[in-house]
Amino acid sequence: MKAKLSRLIKTKEPVEPSHVSSPDEVEQQKWIEQGGEILTFEGEWCVRLRTTYPLDEMYHDFAFGDARLMMHRTEHPFFTVDLEPEQVLFMDTETTGLRGSGTSIFLIGFARIQADQLEMIQYVLPHPAFETAFYYHFLQDIGDEVRFVTYNGKSFDWPQIKTRHTFVKSRVKALPSVGHVDLLHAARRLLKPRLESVSLKAVETYFGHGRTDDLPGFLAPMHYFQYVKERNPEILLPVLEHHHADCLSLVSLYTRLSQLVTTPETDFGEERAHWLHDLGEQESALKEFEQLSSPSKRAVMRQAMLLKRTGRMEQAIPLFESLQTIEGYVELAKYAEHKQKDVELAIDYTERAMELLEKKRTVLRQTIVREKDELEHRRARLERKRL
C-alpha cells in the first residue's frame, strides 16, 4: 500500500495557479476590442483611438484636402495660419461639466491633415485619477508648437486644458506654444444676423448638415460617470461618435467659412466688409463696401468714415449726405467749417442734425440731452464765427 501511494504522489503533476485578470486588464481588453490602444505612464493608463481618412473623402460638401489647400491660399487675417498644416489641430474636448474647479476633461481629440491623409485621434481618460498619463501622451503627440482650430476653444477648451495641466505639470512636459482660429467668432461675424443661435449644431443645420441620432452634448458627462462606474467602453461609444463628428465638422467648417470671406460671389459681402474694417484692413474693407448693391446705413457710414480717414473726403461727402443722419450731418459740418471754411454751410448741416434730433426717440434720455448739448455748442460757436 505504501509503495502504491508513493507512486501516485510521484506521478501527480503540480497544479499551476490560474491567472485572474485584474479589473484594469479586463477593461483594457474591452478597449482593444473597440480598436483602442492602451498607453501607460508611471502606473497609470489611458486610451488612444486612431482613424484615418483619404484627403479626397468628402465631408459636409468639402474634401478633407480642401482645408489644407485653404490654409495655403487664404489671405484673410483671421484664417491665416503660420505653421505647416501638420501642426494645425482641429481640436475639441468633452468635460464633466461647464464650469467650476471640479470640472475635468475626459476626452480630447483632434483631426490633423497630413501629406496623404487626415488623421483623427481621440484620447480617453478611463479614470479621473489617471490624468497624468492622459496629458502626458496628448502633449507628447501634439509637439511643441501648434495652432488649434476650435469652436469656442479659445475661451473654453484650451483654458480647461491649462487648468487641469497645473495638477500634473511636475510630471509631464510643458504646454506647447499655441495659436487659435476659433470658428465660433467667425460664425458670429458671418451668421449672427441670420441665426438665433450660432452653436455648432445650428451652424451645421444652416448649411444643410443637421445631425440625426446624435447624442446631445449635455448627456456626455452622464455617460462618462456611468462608464467609470461600470468600466464598460460601450457606454462611451455614443460620446466618442459625437466628439469624432465635432472634430471632422471643424475641418469642413474651416473650409466653408474661409471660402465665404474670400469669394466675392457669395452674399456675405457686407459681413466681410465689416469684419475687414474691424481688423484694420482699410483698403480691403473699402473694396468690399464699394461692391455692395444695397448697403445698410451702417455700411455707408463706415465706408464714408474710411474714405475720410484715408484723405478722400470728396468721395465721402455724397455718402454722408445720402445717409440723412445726425452722425452724417455732423461730419459734413466739421468738414465745412475746418476744411472748406464755409461757416454758413456748417451751420446749415448742424441745424439739419438738430431737426433730426428733435424727432429722435430713445429710451436713454441722457443720450438725447448730451447730443443736444453738443449740437447747440457747435451752432453757438459757428454763430460767433459768422459775426
Side-chain angles (χ1 to χ4, degrees), residues 210-228:
R211 300 187 201 178
T212 58
D213 301 325
D214 182 55
L215 178 77
F218 69 88
L219 292 178
M222 286 184 275
H223 278 254
Y224 179 65
F225 293 136
Q226 190 67 24
Y227 154 72
V228 171

Side-chain angles (χ1 to χ4, degrees), residues 260-277:
L260 290 182
V261 297
T262 56
T263 306
E265 291 76 18
T266 59
D267 60 348
F268 287 83
E270 184 158 331
E271 289 86 349
R272 289 196 301 268
H274 286 304
W275 199 356
L276 289 167
H277 174 280

Side-chain angles (χ1 to χ4, degrees), residues 78 89-92 147-158 179-185 250 253:
F78 182 85
L89 308 182
F90 298 83
M91 188 266 291
D92 187 39
R147 299 294 177 263
F148 288 125
V149 179
T150 63
Y151 208 83
N152 198 32
K154 189 173 183 179
S155 300
F156 181 75
D157 298 86
W158 184 241
H180 296 270
V181 178
D182 194 329
L183 297 180
L184 173 61
H185 301 304
L250 293 176
L253 193 58

